Every structure is written in C-alpha cells, then in structure tokens.
Amino acid sequence: MRRALFAATALLSLATTGHAALAAADTPEAPYVDDRSSADAVVHSLYSAINRHEFARAWGYYGDTKPAKDFDTFVKGYDGTEKVEVKTGPISDEGAAGSIYYNVPVAIQAIDKKGEAKVFAGCYTLRQVNAQIQAPPFQPIFIDKGALKPSTADFDEALPPSCGDGPPPPKKDTALEQAKKAFLATYGDQCDKDRLANEPEVFSIKYKDRNAQPNDPDKETRLFHFSCSAAAYNESSVYYMTDEVDGVRQLQFAEPETDIRYENNDSDGKLLSVTVIGFRTTGWAVNSDYDQDAHTITTFNKWRGVGDASDAGTYLFRNGDFSLVQYDVDASYDGEENPQTIVDYNTAP
C-alpha cells in the first residue's frame, strides 16, 4: 500500500551542480557515525563521512545510482570546504516490489574555509530491499536519489515540511527550545552527562491576573523542570519559566540565611536556636517536585543521608511567579525528623 509518493526525480550531483553539501575538515570534532538502522541515520552518516573526508565511505552510502559520474569527480566537489551541518525531517515511506522507499526532508548548511555559509534543502529517497530475498553480499539501506536546491531561508527554517505525502512536522515549540539552549549553555559543564540528554518536564499554568476583569482570558505561564545531577541522597534540578511578557528566564528560589546555635557549639548536642538573619536566592532546587493541583514547587535538602537534619521550602505560584511561602529547618542531628517552620507566609497578615 503506497503511503507516500516521492516527487523529486533529479539525482543529487554534488560536483556537477555546485549546489552541494560541502565537506568539513577532518578534525577530531567531527564524530564518526556509521548507522544504517534507519533512513535518516543513513543521511546523517553520509555527512559524517563527508565532514571527516572519508569519501569512499560517503560514496558507499549510495546504491547503483551515484551522485557524480565517477569517484574522483565526487571527491573534487568538496575542495575548499570546512564543514557541513545537516537536519532531517519527518519521514514518509512506501512499499513496492520487495522494497521500502523512504522519503526524507533534508536541509544542510555548508561552510567554506572563509567561514561563508550556504544553505540547501530538498529531499532524499532511500531504499531498503527486503533482506529475505537478497543474495550475498547483503545491501543495507542506501540512498537511491535526491535533490537539493539553494535556499534563501536561514538554516533553522530551511527544512522542507515534508516530502511527497509525508506528514508535516510538529509545530516548533520555540519556548521549549529556548529553555533547553539556556540550560545547556549555563549548566552543560556542571550537570551529569546522562541527564543532559533527558527532556525536561513541561507544565502549563493558566491563571487570572490579579488586575484582570471577569471576561478577560486566562494568562499562561509554562514551567520547565530540568534534572541536573544526583549525589548519594540529593538530586539537584533547575527550573525555567516563560510567559508572553518576560520570555524565557530561570526561576530563582528565595532561601533564608540562618544562624544556628548548639550547646557547646556541638552540632550533635542540644539545639538551642535557629534564627533568620537574612535572605538570598539560588537557581538550584534540591529534591524538588511541582504539584500541578496546588501550584507549588517544594524542595527538601537532606543534610545527611538519614534525613534527620534538613531544610525544605514551599514556593507558591501567584500573580505570574513563584514566591516563598514556607521554609522549614530541622537542625538537630538526633535521628528523628522534627523540623521547625522558620518562614511562614501562608497566612496573610
């Protein structure tokens, strides 16, 4: 059953048309990618080979129909280029005569050795022959044909929405992308590497502005929760917010500064007093959780693993922002959880 029809018929000829995906210098920064498990993976592998100047490998991702008249012409097509970046879009496919054809939207940005960039966009067709009917040598997914043309759009906007009857891409979540970029730029060197790859939790908070009239529409704030690192008993997170007025910004948490006194200055001894002497803010939230019903973020920072000494905050969303409404401190290392509230704004004065 044909699910998509690929319309582009022109062969991708990087050398003869001059509208080529340009190669990058063979530098350690260009990763080695050789993945034929999916159509888009093959496209990314092609440009990995080009960026590393491994042209025989790049040539090998094509089937019988090659992108140039011969290999030497193919290689000469990349003279004077520094690197090429590639993006792929939503894939459509169709089955025919023992094969599956995949249609892949592609956009590339080619940068020459002078730092000048050119953008190209179009579609690739890749073919996967049924492995059960093949005779040796086995042929994995390969590029059957393609067509790229110069694009006047910026690289981020040049990717075709679909190829043939392929599905359009989901609407771009600009705020989410901005929050992810801000998080990686600020905390990319501080967070656990395995957590950097995780998608954040995303929450939508709709509310009435305090000055709103009865018929005014709800406002919306979105909350992005990024998990950053985990130690023996504490997990640290970072939150970003966005709204129509302020855009994307990192959420800061108010915390009281305290003066804690123990008998004989021994923290294992009797707790004498906990006094608030000021306030500060931090971008870190420890062992945090967002309650969608209560519209609160809670934190719980263990001072040691058993949790008998700790501090905990409650931050309530109101009037478009989160405010500290309660802060508890358990400063006694006595083996029991017995916090005392040192900040309480839950009750209006």
Side-chain angles (χ1 to χ4, degrees), residues 71-340:
F71 180 68
D72 289 340
T73 303
F74 177 68
V75 174
K76 290 178 181 178
Y78 304 104
D79 288 344
T81 61
E82 184 65 24
K83 68 177 181 179
V84 60
E85 301 172 21
V86 60
K87 292 183 179 182
T88 56
I91 301 170
S92 61
D93 61 83
E94 56 182 317
S99 295
I100 299 176
Y101 291 87
Y102 300 95
N103 307 314
V104 185
V106 176
I108 64 170
Q109 178 170 252
I111 302 173
D112 63 22
K113 293 182 178 180
K114 296 180 180 179
E116 297 179 355
K118 294 182 180 180
V119 176
F120 303 85
C123 297
Y124 280 96
T125 297
L126 292 90
R127 181 182 177 188
Q128 180 179 13
V129 179
N130 188 337
Q132 295 181 346
I133 64 175
Q134 290 194 45
F138 171 71
Q139 173 68 65
I141 301 175
F142 60 89
I143 300 171
D144 187 52
K145 55 188 175 182
L148 295 181
K149 297 180 179 180
S151 173
T152 58
D154 292 336
F155 181 46
D156 289 339
E157 306 296 333
L159 189 67
S162 62
C163 290
D165 296 329
K171 185 177 180 181
K172 187 175 182 180
D173 191 333
T174 303
L176 174 60
E177 293 304 315
Q178 290 177 349
K180 290 164 68 174
K181 288 180 180 179
F183 172 66
L184 290 174
T186 306
Y187 297 100
D189 295 332
Q190 302 179 49
C191 297
D192 297 341
K193 298 304 181 185
D194 59 332
R195 292 173 183 259
L196 290 174
N198 295 336
E199 289 292 311
E201 291 185 284
V202 181
F203 306 97
S204 174
I205 308 172
K206 294 185 177 180
Y207 66 100
K208 288 287 188 183
D209 185 82
R210 58 183 169 185
N211 298 319
Q213 299 301 311
N215 294 328
D216 287 348
D218 288 346
K219 289 190 173 183
E220 180 183 17
T221 290
R222 299 179 69 204
L223 182 68
F224 306 99
H225 174 202
F226 293 86
S227 177
C228 177
S229 61
Y233 42 85
N234 284 328
E235 177 180 325
S236 296
S237 297
V238 176
Y239 287 80
Y240 286 83
M241 293 174 55
T242 183
D243 57 45
E244 60 186 18
V245 176
D246 298 321
V248 173
R249 59 185 174 88
Q250 185 179 350
L251 183 60
Q252 298 292 319
F253 296 92
E255 295 180 343
E257 293 187 79
T258 56
D259 178 32
I260 302 174
R261 301 294 178 93
Y262 299 93
E263 190 172 64
N264 299 323
N265 291 323
D266 181 6
S267 60
D268 289 327
K270 182 181 179 181
L271 175 65
L272 299 178
S273 64
V274 179
T275 304
V276 177
I277 59 174
F279 286 85
R280 61 191 174 195
T281 60
T282 178
W284 297 105
V286 179
N287 297 328
S288 67
D289 181 66
Y290 174 63
D291 186 324
Q292 297 186 70
D293 295 325
H295 289 177
T296 57
I297 296 174
T298 55
T299 62
F300 180 62
N301 178 29
K302 295 181 181 180
W303 296 1
R304 65 179 183 180
V306 294
D308 61 340
S310 63
D311 58 74
T314 301
Y315 302 84
L316 174 65
F317 182 84
R318 56 188 176 191
N319 300 322
D321 207 347
F322 283 89
S323 301
L324 174 66
V325 294
Q326 183 171 327
Y327 207 86
D328 301 332
V329 171
D330 185 350
S332 58
Y333 294 84
D334 57 2
E336 298 180 1
E337 294 186 17
N338 45 14
Q340 59 177 299

Side-chain angles (χ1 to χ4, degrees), residues 17-39:
T17 65
H19 306 316
L22 304 182
D26 185 9
T27 64
E29 288 74 24
Y32 180 87
V33 179
D34 182 17
D35 185 353
R36 294 182 184 250
S37 61
S38 64

